[in-house]
């Protein structure tokens, strides 16, 4: 659901008086906290937008040599490394007066091996071309070593102390290598272990709601959220931001459900059982990446379910940005028992069974259906 900017002024006008019963110091503390991430938000949006530009350029001329194989067999592209280098450079440049810590998916290990020189050179050229396209930067081109260093800035472990940026340079890599499928550049900021800011650049996500999108419609969404300030959607081409909110649907039978495209990422059978118990009539919408969180935040669907295989540990960069984009739009993101996600424990999330998201009205019945389905599955083994 979209809210025009004119209505935002009215909404803000009525929010502030609710604080009048608090001491003045509390009011100013609230206002200062809501304003304290403005510079970081601007830097994050610039970084994600430039990374998206690089990814789009590579996707248009994707070569087989751009796709390498990681230990977990998911593809890594030249764009994956380039995106991380660009985001690292922009954040460090824009926020040079702040300590810089980045928790990110990639490292330069494979690029330092024999035979990777050509790939590294392609990345160096792409990164420098992308940085040069931003007129506010007048810096010397990065060397190969400079690109490797930018990538390896992402080796931080995060944790509950200080500020840490969290990045997935291309979330949904398999979707990325298939032209037109969904992927996202996902960037978040942790402050003392709490997600306080998130940006999702979704180059292939339609600007119109998925339910009414036509094949000829424009694509390219930039979602952004700051703790206490709501969620907004821009066009990657630079349109004015529009405030978005999650679906207000209260009847589960009317809800639509998002899940991962690949069964390896989430149990489709368990999701089907849950949907049946809720009475959901629409078939599931299966798309890659945290673009699902963006679509959910604007009301394209009402439920997101993710139940990975036993033993899989969720990584913080796969959910940090998306979770605040949904919660600031009025939704709830939790594990399958309703516990909030804890991003303060390093690279991984400790949670029960999986991750779910919905609006506040549907969550109680959703949690009940989940536990019933989990119990039934366990009893059948």
């Amino acid at each position: 659901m979209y809210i025009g900017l004119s209505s935002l002024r009215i909404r803000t006008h009525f929010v502030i008086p609710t604080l009048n019963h608090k001491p003045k110091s509390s009011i100013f503390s609230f206002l200062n906290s809501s304003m304290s991430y403005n510079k970081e938000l601007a830097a994050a949006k610039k970084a994600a937008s430039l990374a998206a530009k690089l990814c789009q350029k590579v996707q248009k001329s994707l070569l087989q040599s751009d796709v390498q194989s990681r230990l977990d067999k998911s593809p890594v592209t030249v764009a994956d490394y380039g995106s991380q280098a660009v985001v690292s450079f922009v954040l460090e440049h824009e926020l040079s007066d702040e300590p810089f810590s980045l928790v990110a998916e990639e490292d330069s290990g494979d690029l330092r091996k024999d035979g990777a020189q050509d790939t590294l050179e392609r990345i160096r050229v792409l990164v420098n071309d992308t940085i040069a396209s931003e007129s506010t930067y007048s810096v010397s081109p990065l060397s190969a070593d400079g690109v490797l260093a930018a990538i390896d800035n992402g080796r931080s472990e995060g944790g509950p102390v200080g500020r840490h940026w969290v990045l997935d340079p291309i979330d949904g890599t398999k979707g990325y290598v298939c032209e037109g499928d969904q992927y996202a550049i996902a960037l978040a900021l942790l402050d003392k272990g709490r997600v306080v800011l998130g940006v999702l650049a979704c180059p292939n996500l339609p600007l119109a709601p998925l339910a009414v999108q036509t094949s000829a419609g424009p694509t390219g969404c930039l979602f952004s959220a700051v703790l206490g300030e709501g969620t907004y959607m821009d066009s990657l081409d630079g349109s004015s931001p529009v405030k978005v909110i999650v679906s207000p649907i209260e009847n589960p039978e009317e809800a639509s459900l998002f899940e991962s495209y690949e069964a390896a990422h989430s149990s489709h059978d368990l999701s089907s059982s849950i949907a049946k118990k809720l009475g959901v009539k629409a078939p599931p919408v299966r798309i890659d990446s945290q673009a699902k969180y963006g679509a959910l935040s604007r009301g394209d669907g009402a439920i997101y379910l993710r139940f990975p295989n036993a033993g899989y540990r969720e990584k913080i960069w796969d959910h940090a940005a998306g979770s605040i984009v949904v919660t600031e739009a009025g939704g709830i993101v939790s594990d399958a028992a309703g516990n909030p996600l804890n991003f303060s424990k390093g690279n991984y999330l400790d949670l029960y069974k999986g991750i779910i998201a919905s609006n506040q009205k549907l969550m109680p019945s959703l949690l009940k259906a989940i536990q019933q389905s989990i119990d039934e599955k366990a009893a059948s083994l």
Side-chain angles (χ1 to χ4, degrees), residues 17-38:
T18 64
L19 300 171
N20 286 342
H21 68 283
K22 296 182 179 181
K24 284 186 177 181
S25 60
S26 296
I27 296 174
F28 287 114
S29 174
F30 172 85
L31 293 176
N32 286 337
S33 66
S34 69
M35 295 168 60
S36 60
Y37 301 109
N38 288 348

Side-chain angles (χ1 to χ4, degrees), residues 247 249 251-257 278-283 301-303 362:
S247 167
I249 286 175
N251 183 355
E253 294 183 5
E254 301 173 1
S256 56
L257 183 151
L278 290 171
V280 174
K281 297 177 179 178
I303 299 170
L362 290 175

Side-chain angles (χ1 to χ4, degrees), residues 199-257:
V199 171
L200 292 175
C202 307
N204 288 341
L205 189 67
L207 291 172
L210 292 176
V212 299
Q213 169 66 16
T214 65
S215 58
T219 60
C221 302
L222 182 66
F223 297 92
S224 60
V226 173
L227 188 65
E229 296 186 10
T231 297
Y232 294 83
M233 185 185 78
D234 305 44
S235 162
L236 278 171
D237 292 335
S239 65
S240 298
V242 176
K243 192 167 189 177
V244 295
I245 58 174
V246 296
S247 167
I249 286 175
E250 299 182 24
N251 183 355
E253 294 183 5
E254 301 173 1
S256 56
L257 183 151

Side-chain angles (χ1 to χ4, degrees), residues 181 259-266 268 285-289 292:
D181 286 352
E259 62 180 358
S260 297
Y261 186 85
E262 294 190 55
H265 292 169
S266 184
H268 289 170
V285 179
R286 293 173 178 167
I287 58 177
D288 289 299
S289 84
K292 291 185 288 291

Side-chain angles (χ1 to χ4, degrees), residues 291-305:
K292 291 185 288 291
Y293 281 117
L296 194 73
S297 76
R298 67 184 188 185
D300 287 6
I303 299 170
Y304 168 39
L305 302 177

Side-chain angles (χ1 to χ4, degrees), residues 80-147:
D80 227 347
Y81 294 115
S83 174
Q84 183 158 316
V86 165
V87 171
S88 173
F89 169 86
V90 172
L91 292 179
E92 202 167 21
H93 185 86
E94 296 290 328
L95 306 171
S96 58
D97 57 341
E98 300 179 9
F100 182 57
S101 173
L102 177 66
V103 183
E105 184 173 22
E106 307 300 342
D107 65 61
S108 70
D110 287 344
L111 295 176
R112 296 178 185 273
K113 294 178 180 178
D114 292 341
Q117 290 85 353
D118 290 345
T119 300
L120 177 57
E121 177 60 16
R122 286 208 65 211
I123 295 168
R124 188 192 68 80
V125 172
L126 282 164
V127 168
N128 284 317
D129 286 350
T130 303
I131 293 171
S133 71
E134 175 55 52
S135 59
T136 59
Y137 294 139
S138 55
V139 296
S140 301
L142 294 178
S143 64
D145 285 342
V147 170

